[in-house]
Amino acid sequence: MPLVARLGSGIPLVARDRELDRLRAALDRAGTGTAGAVLLAGDAGVGKTRLIDELASGAGDTLVLMGRCLDAGETGLPYLPFAEALGALKNDVANRPALAMLLPQLALPAEREPGTEGMIAPSLIPGRRPEQDVGQLQLFDAVLGLLSDLSERQRVLLVVEDLHWADASTRYLLSFLLARLRSQRLLVVGTYRADDLHRSHPLRPLLSELVRLPAVDRMDLTPFNAADARRFVEALSDDLPRDVLKQVAERSEGNAFFAEELIAVATCDDARSLPSALADVLLSRVESLSPEAQHVVRVASVRGRRVRHYRLHEVSGMADLAFDAALRELVQHHLFVVHDDEVYAFRHALLREAVYGDLLPGERVRLHAAYARHLAQHLDERGAAAALAHHAFESHDLAQALTASIAAAREAERAGAPAESLRYLEKALNLWNAVPAADRPSDVDESVLLRRASWVAGTAGQPERAVAFARSATEAIGADQTPEEAAEIWLRLSQALSILDGNEEEGFLVLAKALQLVHDREPSPTRARVFAGKASSLRQQRKDAEAREAAELAIADGQTANAPGAVADGLGTLAILDDHADQPEAAKASFERAIQCAREVGAFNNELRAWYYYGLMHYDRGELAESARVFNLAGDRAKETGLTWSMFGLEIRILQVLVHYYLGDWDYAAWASEPPGMSVSSTVLARLASASTHLTVSRGDLAESERMITKLRSDWHRDIQIALINGGTGAELALWRGRPELAVERVTDALAWARKLGGPWMLAGIRIGAIGIAAHAEIAAKARRKRDAQAEENAVQAGLDLAEHVRLTAQNGKPRAGTLGPEGRAWLARANAEETRLRGAGDPGLWQKAVDEFGYGVAFEQALCRWRLAEALLGADRRDEAVEQLRQADEVATRLKAVPLAEAVAASAKRARITLRADEPVREQVDLFTPRERDVLGLVASGRTNREVGEELYISEKTVSVHLSRIMAKLGASRRAEAVAIAYDRGLLE
């Protein structure tokens, strides 16, 4: 046998100390509870795997989990790198049933008909929400939970190699995990070929998103420079002539794998005639093998980078002894590597690509056909259908490729991988007309495939394509289809249309077609689902009586025809209608029935929908404590089912943030608002970040709030709720920072956005408008201090116009429950009270009404109104009453750690020389500034220059500048004129 060259893995790591140190530092940070991720980019063969192996071997007390993506066609398993990485954790995996979708050794969940859980009309909740695959969400949550639990026991290193070959579901799962890296003792390292990322490569947009996450770092592994390349080849070979080593170093172009292969050729063959191209080098290595070994390596290249022993043996058609001898030769020459579970892998993907590329066309077809015949006998294996679809297509057996693609789509959907399911369905649809009718599967037709494609496109986050597939399905309805089959297709189109804005009327018409087909038919699951959809649609149109009738028909049909998802859907709609009819006890009973029914049949989306509206009923009625109890139970249930980030799981989480914020349980609200961390790259993260700004603004984290609110402005298009929340919190932030003009800008922007997307009378305009009136009142007060009558009048008039708009909104808006609830009434009362501040201190009576209206449980807003009430009372010379209001406001602000409000209350008390606590001495002056700073500020306000101030105070001009810098820092000003203006606005200058 010829000589065998050394591998780079057999020598110390060369010239990668800096990169290895960065990786080890990231792993050390993970060990201290700062989770992170590193995306390692480099050309093929540059040494990414060797660097990762070095990191793993020196990781000490670390659980190392490693998985690798494979090229398309090599495997039919979605999430392959995660399945490979987690497959050995048998005991931990057994406690998480959702992981059955990930791991081949576990049974998949039973197949379900697309859409049978019932489709909730998205317009029932604020803004549009995408369809989601429940199984995928449960799987993602299970993987995150498993990694988090493992990291509590020991540090975890998760490596995902070759991301350039990652399937869509793997990319989604990786994005999900990296966006949720917080305090886990976990480091995730992903590697990919930078030279493979062409402009339209699917990994490119994901990388752009991931590198913006605070926990993610990107590292480029560059080729060796000339000196390092020479060191590397010298370490690899001790006995080659120096001129050959120099030639190898130069031709390798700094690529470690190329250098290894050149050394192998030089060691085993003629050292004086080295090939110049990498493919030639690799093929020359293969050509030096025995004919039997060459045959085996060619057969293996058709399967992919990895192949199981029994599969390779059977397809190769070789006798046992000859086959074993060929394998031994391939392993000894470092072309194959032996893995666990009797799997052989090419040492590097470039080697497999070179061998496969060298096959003759007829040879490829013949070998693909051999694999297809083999796989057709092993369809009970996970992923076999997808692999069969690939090999049958490549061997030109289109009928078998069609049948296998349909089977692969079903398996991928059951595995919680809708993107892969869609890929196989598209392949089947492309093949449909190319296969003779007699050879097509008998259990499906084209319209069924299109309907399934519409469903998985929606759950894969492609709503426009979902609509397109559903439209095509309606055009493919044949005369031989039953009314129920046709109705399912029209129902699917209505569901797809409901996800996108602007399709409401068409959606109603399409649903009417579905209903017309089955209205006079016998009860069936299809008719039950159509009635359930009709009930939701009628509820959306405010036709409550007709909606109730349709919901009752859905329940009756569902019970008769055994369609429990439709029953749960109908019960949920009935509960909402009972709530709107002001029948809280009936609504409560209906909600609890809907929850129980959905839970019994595993209709998780319907269950969470009922939980959401159950809590919302109490929220709308101002029963915040009961609302918090229901939402907390709902949140626990969402976590149990792995659906925390599903459509209604997210709605529940956001309401947990808001309700606990209103109740004054701000620590819980802060917990519920995590994630988002720093990223707002998705709608989920942006909505949670938006809700969290209530807390950050009120607590006084003004710089972080400004950064987040500014960043979130670019996410308003994602969801109208982001605009409605941040329009208000952004304006509040500007007011606390003494910038009422900016507050007016933000209010105007938010109201315009609301008008464009929701019409002129969106009820959120009451809250936003009230804050805007407060801003106009501050601008008017500033103008009065400057004796600018015109500016004052302009501000007053703008405030009056906005107040009138608020009242019209309260009058013309359409509350979800039919009448304006406690929250709307409270903000209307505040708007009326703020209006009285436009020309002075305010009306104590109207401010007292605002205090009373917020008494239903909104602690912070009530305290803020008490502060304003106290100022109005002081203006009316009712000092004793003002003292009581200020003290109550201070007590709440102090308890909540609401710094801006506490400071505002303290400033008002100081100006009025009121003690906020019985044991507090009376302060005769505001002590924000030192006496010298006050002198400097007073002279600057009178128009003196720094030199003039210095001359008058007998100090140097430089000292004056130092005092001014401190004054501006205390006031948050960037210029001396701005400092003077802020001081006047806050009453710090007379």
Side-chain angles (χ1 to χ4, degrees), residues 912-933:
R913 297 183 180 178
I914 292 173
T915 58
L916 293 174
R917 299 172 187 82
D919 57 350
E920 181 183 358
V922 176
R923 297 184 180 181
E924 299 298 330
Q925 64 178 18
V926 178
D927 55 2
L928 179 62
F929 306 120
T930 66
R932 180 61 81 188
E933 288 171 351

Side-chain angles (χ1 to χ4, degrees), residues 141-373:
D141 196 76
V143 173
L144 176 63
L146 174 59
L147 291 173
S148 298
D149 289 350
L150 291 172
S151 71
E152 291 180 2
R153 300 203 293 263
Q154 69 180 126
R155 185 172 63 180
V156 177
L157 171 62
L158 172 64
V159 178
V160 182
E161 291 202 72
D162 295 329
L163 286 172
H164 51 280
W165 286 327
D167 58 88
S169 297
T170 294
R171 295 195 300 270
Y172 296 155
L173 177 51
L174 182 70
S175 176
F176 179 90
L177 294 177
L178 266 55
R180 286 155 180 81
L181 293 178
R182 294 293 180 275
S183 58
Q184 304 97 328
R185 297 169 62 205
L186 170 66
L187 176 66
V188 181
V189 179
T191 72
Y192 63 94
R193 289 188 194 174
D195 51 336
D196 270 16
L197 300 191
H198 51 77
R199 186 177 299 275
S200 59
H201 196 288
L203 186 62
R204 287 179 70 96
L206 175 63
L207 292 175
S208 298
E209 179 178 332
L210 294 181
V211 295
R212 294 199 296 266
L213 296 171
V216 176
D217 187 20
R218 174 176 169 159
M219 184 187 303
D220 290 310
L221 196 63
T222 59
F224 295 136
N225 60 32
D228 291 335
R230 183 65 179 266
R231 287 172 52 206
F232 181 73
V233 298
E234 288 175 349
L236 273 177
S237 177
D238 299 324
D239 52 3
L240 287 178
R242 297 188 64 81
D243 62 326
V244 174
L245 293 179
K246 180 180 179 181
Q247 187 181 3
V248 169
E250 291 174 352
R251 291 193 180 182
S252 71
E253 299 178 347
N255 186 289
F257 177 68
F258 196 1
E260 288 178 356
E261 294 302 311
L262 286 168
I263 289 289
V265 172
T267 301
C268 302
D269 297 316
D270 183 0
R272 305 294 174 179
S273 58
L274 293 177
S276 59
L278 177 58
D280 293 336
V281 173
L282 297 174
L283 290 175
S284 69
R285 292 250 284 132
V286 173
E287 289 164 0
S288 68
L289 301 172
S290 66
E292 293 79 8
Q294 289 186 46
H295 174 66
V296 171
V297 80
R298 288 189 172 98
V299 173
S301 74
V302 174
R303 180 65 184 107
R305 185 172 178 185
R306 298 191 299 184
V307 60
R308 291 190 177 277
H309 177 95
Y310 78 89
R311 183 164 289 146
L312 182 59
H313 189 190
E314 183 173 326
V315 175
S316 70
M318 295 175 63
D320 292 350
L321 293 179
F323 180 68
D324 290 342
L327 283 176
R328 183 174 299 280
E329 185 177 351
L330 290 168
V331 171
Q332 288 179 339
H333 279 78
H334 306 308
L335 274 73
F336 275 10
V337 177
V338 182
H339 289 307
D340 295 336
D341 300 326
E342 298 185 342
V343 170
Y344 295 99
F346 284 88
R347 189 171 71 83
H348 199 285
L350 289 173
L351 178 59
R352 179 259 166 187
E353 293 166 15
V355 174
Y356 184 76
D358 191 53
L359 295 175
L360 295 172
E363 191 177 12
R364 286 187 190 178
V365 170
R366 179 174 55 78
L367 290 175
H368 278 296
Y371 273 110
R373 289 191 298 273

